[in-house]
Amino acid sequence: MKEGLRRSSHTTQNLKTIISTQGWIRIGKMAGVELLPKEYGYVALVLVLYCSLNFWMAGQVVKARKKYKVSYPTLYASESDNKDAKVFNCVQRGHQNSLELMPMFFVLLILGGIKHPLISASLGLFYIFTRYFYFTGYATGNPENRVSIGKFGFLAILGLMICTISFGISLLLA
């Protein structure tokens, strides 16, 4: 146990040490977490990767606004006012749909990852992969193109739901 003990640079009374034993990290009471598996770091990195994808999609919407002349605060273009409205709306909708699903994805990834960090991180990577193709397919202007690979993202969500259910049950049975 001595080899895993490290002094923290924090001066707070409640967070004096971080102890790492057998792949688990013990964090003091101040952090609000008792134990996290070491592999939970992968979950955190997947969250950041999805945020990066979201920023990229937002950039694509900004480019589409300029290209198709859709000014702010208009969320969706009107086909009666803009001949390229359908293409712009598809780009906007692809990003909007990803934003709508983001809270559910984050909650399931964060909670499921506590008990199953590697499985959850892998499912999260798969979800990001499918969201990329969902968006790029949608952005072609043909909504049917979003589902070729994008439709499989719900398998990742289902897997994350199972990981989160497993975590919830383990808490109740502990």
Side-chain angles (χ1 to χ4, degrees), residues 6 14 20 40 42 79 82 84 92 96 109 112 155 157:
R6 291 183 289 157
N14 292 335
S20 177
Y40 196 78
Y42 294 117
E79 290 190 27
N82 188 326
D84 297 313
Q92 173 70 3
Q96 185 68 33
L109 180 63
L155 294 175
I157 293 294

Side-chain angles (χ1 to χ4, degrees), residues 93-168:
R93 188 67 202 129
H95 181 236
Q96 185 68 33
N97 183 262
S98 294
L99 289 173
E100 291 164 0
L101 294 174
M102 189 168 62
M104 177 178 59
F105 171 62
F106 278 14
V107 168
L108 293 173
L109 180 63
I110 290 166
L111 292 177
I114 293 172
K115 183 170 182 187
H116 305 284
L118 294 177
I119 294 169
S120 294
S122 299
L123 288 166
L125 284 175
F126 180 67
Y127 182 74
I128 292 168
F129 175 80
T130 63
R131 290 314 296 180
Y132 171 80
F133 284 102
Y134 181 93
F135 177 81
T136 56
Y138 216 154
T140 63
N142 182 357
E144 293 301 315
N145 292 340
R146 74 189 192 281
V147 295
S148 62
I149 294 174
K151 65 184 173 194
F152 296 109
F154 287 101
L155 294 175
I157 293 294
L158 179 62
L160 289 169
M161 288 173 72
I162 291 168
C163 289
T164 302
I165 290 167
S166 171
F167 171 62

